[in-house]
């Protein structure tokens, strides 16, 4: 993964109203990310509803994204879905054959919740042994449970030379700083933070970039922040954007990913709000009104920082 500071969107999967994967919608969405200036793409992730996709759908979605992104930006995709490490390794190799740049391991599926750090590390090393030559990344996904990698663990694993990407969800800026300090000497590795509350501080600490659900609303704003977080002439605008993300955090997470698909509809993207996810809450009039307000609030921010929307 290119360690240039940038935005790696956690991609949505558009579905048709009948529940089938909408590959035309996926094409439009992929180009929206690319046109916004994304530095890479994270396909087949939690936002992609990866647990609701079949193995064949996961492969088909990733192949489609790789075809569109070829020679433009790197693509990473999840390749671990539980079970014996040998079984997970088989799918890692299969999804790597789609042409992606790295395969992402879900930390909570590489060891059970009650397993020690030593067991987790042993499982990771077994996975590495069974997948020679495959660049690996980590995602501290909250499903099925959130297993955080300590700074020391991450430093040790990155030192193998096989780990190129880490999507961090620890929510702790001090841990982020320590992780960066322990891995900054390794080329071709990047830490991407998911938590936008301290996005500016993360970037200033040396993170490779951001990988967050907010990019499924306004990807050009995440790119703008990655480009300008340290621009002293835009310090007021940067502070405004950072505060916007803090203020809107809950709105963008409630009934997700339905709300993100609805927001993209408001932007003009021709996709359905259909989701296969269950238990996310109801997209009712109250939730819809909050997203409508978010759309208006973003228009104000966009005007304040003189940012043009990417056309869809």
């Amino acid at each position: 993964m290119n360690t240039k500071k940038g935005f790696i969107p956690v991609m949505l999967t558009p579905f048709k109203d009948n529940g089938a994967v909408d590959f035309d919608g996926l094409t439009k969405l992929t180009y929206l990310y690319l046109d916004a200036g994304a530095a890479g793409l994270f396909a087949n992730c939690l936002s992609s509803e990866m647990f609701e996709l079949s193995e064949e759908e996961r492969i088909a979605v990733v192949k489609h994204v790789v075809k569109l992104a070829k020679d433009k930006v790197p693509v990473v995709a999840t390749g671990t879905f539980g079970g014996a490490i040998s079984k997970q390794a088989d799918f890692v190799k299969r999804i790597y054959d789609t042409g992606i740049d790295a395969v992402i391991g879900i930390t909570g599926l590489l060891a059970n919740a009650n397993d020690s750090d030593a067991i987790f590390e042993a499982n990771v090393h077994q996975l590495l042994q069974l997948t020679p030559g495959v660049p690996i990344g980590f995602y501290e996904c909250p499903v099925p449970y959130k297993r955080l990698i300590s700074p020391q663990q991450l430093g040790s694993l990155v030192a193998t030379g096989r780990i190129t990407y880490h999507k961090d969800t620890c929510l702790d800026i001090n841990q982020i700083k320590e992780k960066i300090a322990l891995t900054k000497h390794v080329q071709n590795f990047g830490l991407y933070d998911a938590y936008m509350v301290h996005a500016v501080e993360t970037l200033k600490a040396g993170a490779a970039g951001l990988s967050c659900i907010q990019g499924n609303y306004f990807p050009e704003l995440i790119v703008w922040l990655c480009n300008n977080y340290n621009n002293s002439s835009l310090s007021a605008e940067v502070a405004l954007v950072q505060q916007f993300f803090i203020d809107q955090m809950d709105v963008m997470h409630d009934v997700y990913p339905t709300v993100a698909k609805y927001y993209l509809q408001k932007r003009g993207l021709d996709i359905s709000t259909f989701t296969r996810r269950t238990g996310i809450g109801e997209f009712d009039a109250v939730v819809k009104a909050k997203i409508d307000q978010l759309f208006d609030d973003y228009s104000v921010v966009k005007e304040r920082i003189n940012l043009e929307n990417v056309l869809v």
Side-chain angles (χ1 to χ4, degrees):
M1 174 61 61
N2 189 338
T3 54
K4 176 184 177 182
K5 287 193 192 301
F7 163 52
I8 310 294
V10 287
M11 296 183 66
L12 298 170
T13 298
F15 296 101
K16 298 178 182 178
D17 287 332
N18 65 4
V21 175
D22 178 6
F23 286 97
D24 288 340
L26 182 58
T27 296
K28 296 168 186 172
L29 182 61
T30 302
Y31 282 127
L32 173 62
Y33 298 130
L34 294 175
D35 291 345
L41 299 169
F42 187 171
N44 194 41
C45 57
L46 191 60
S47 288
S48 310
E49 303 178 50
M50 62 182 179
F51 293 118
E52 288 75 34
L53 299 175
S54 68
E55 279 198 5
E56 295 306 319
E57 286 174 326
R58 292 167 186 159
I59 294 294
V61 164
V62 172
K63 279 185 175 179
H64 192 77
V65 172
V66 168
K67 180 178 67 176
L68 297 172
K70 186 175 177 60
D71 301 325
K72 296 182 178 71
V73 298
V75 179
V76 301
T78 304
T80 61
F81 289 91
I85 296 299
S86 58
K87 175 188 174 184
Q88 298 198 54
D90 287 340
F91 191 70
V92 164
K93 290 182 281 191
R94 187 177 174 205
I95 204 164
Y96 185 61
D97 285 343
T98 62
I100 59 177
D101 295 83
V103 181
I104 306 305
I106 301 300
T107 54
L109 288 170
L110 291 171
N112 295 322
N114 57 352
D115 284 342
S116 66
D117 286 347
I119 292 175
F120 170 77
E121 291 169 19
N123 288 346
V124 170
H125 284 291
Q126 183 184 0
L127 183 71
L128 296 177
Q129 288 178 338
L130 293 172
T131 57
V134 178
I136 298 293
F138 297 121
Y139 171 21
E140 296 171 333
C141 184
V143 179
Y145 74 97
K146 185 188 285 193
R147 174 179 281 270
L148 297 177
I149 301 178
S150 72
Q152 292 73 24
Q153 274 185 309
L154 185 63
S156 174
L157 292 169
V158 169
T160 66
R162 289 284 303 282
I163 311 303
T164 63
Y165 175 96
H166 176 66
K167 176 177 163 65
D168 199 280
T169 67
C170 74
L171 315 183
D172 183 338
I173 188 60
N174 292 321
Q175 277 203 50
I176 294 281
K177 290 177 178 179
E178 192 173 355
K179 288 176 180 179
I180 292 169
L182 292 173
T183 57
K184 64 182 180 181
H185 61 287
V186 180
Q187 292 185 339
N188 299 319
F189 169 77
L191 183 150
Y192 292 81
D193 197 358
Y195 192 44
M196 292 300 290
V197 166
H198 55 222
V200 172
E201 198 170 356
T202 289
L203 292 169
K204 288 184 176 180
L210 304 169
S211 187
C212 51
I213 71 164
Q214 288 80 0
N216 286 317
Y217 297 85
F218 14 74
E220 62 282 322
L221 185 61
I222 315 295
V223 172
W224 182 92
L225 190 61
C226 287
N227 289 339
N228 294 291
Y229 72 94
N230 212 24
N231 186 337
S232 59
S233 67
L234 293 173
S235 58
E237 289 85 349
V238 168
L240 173 71
V241 171
Q242 178 65 88
Q243 191 61 47
F244 172 73
F245 285 126
I246 293 171
D247 294 342
Q248 302 292 351
M249 181 64 66
D250 291 342
V251 173
M252 288 184 276
H253 280 81
D254 191 22
V255 199
Y256 181 84
T258 301
V259 287
K261 294 179 178 183
Y262 172 67
Y263 190 97
L264 291 171
Q265 277 187 349
K266 288 179 65 70
R267 287 188 55 144
L269 195 68
D270 183 18
I271 61 171
S272 170
T273 59
F274 184 94
T275 178
R276 294 183 185 178
R277 296 276 309 272
T278 59
I280 60 173
E282 183 182 354
F283 184 58
D284 57 19
V286 173
V287 174
K288 178 179 178 294
K290 289 180 180 179
I291 298 300
D292 290 340
Q293 185 61 53
L294 173 66
F295 188 87
D296 293 341
D297 291 346
Y298 175 55
S299 297
V300 174
V301 170
K302 185 179 60 175
E303 184 176 351
R304 289 274 300 276
I305 67 172
N306 195 29
L307 178 66
E308 291 295 326
N309 249 7
V310 174
L311 298 177
V312 298

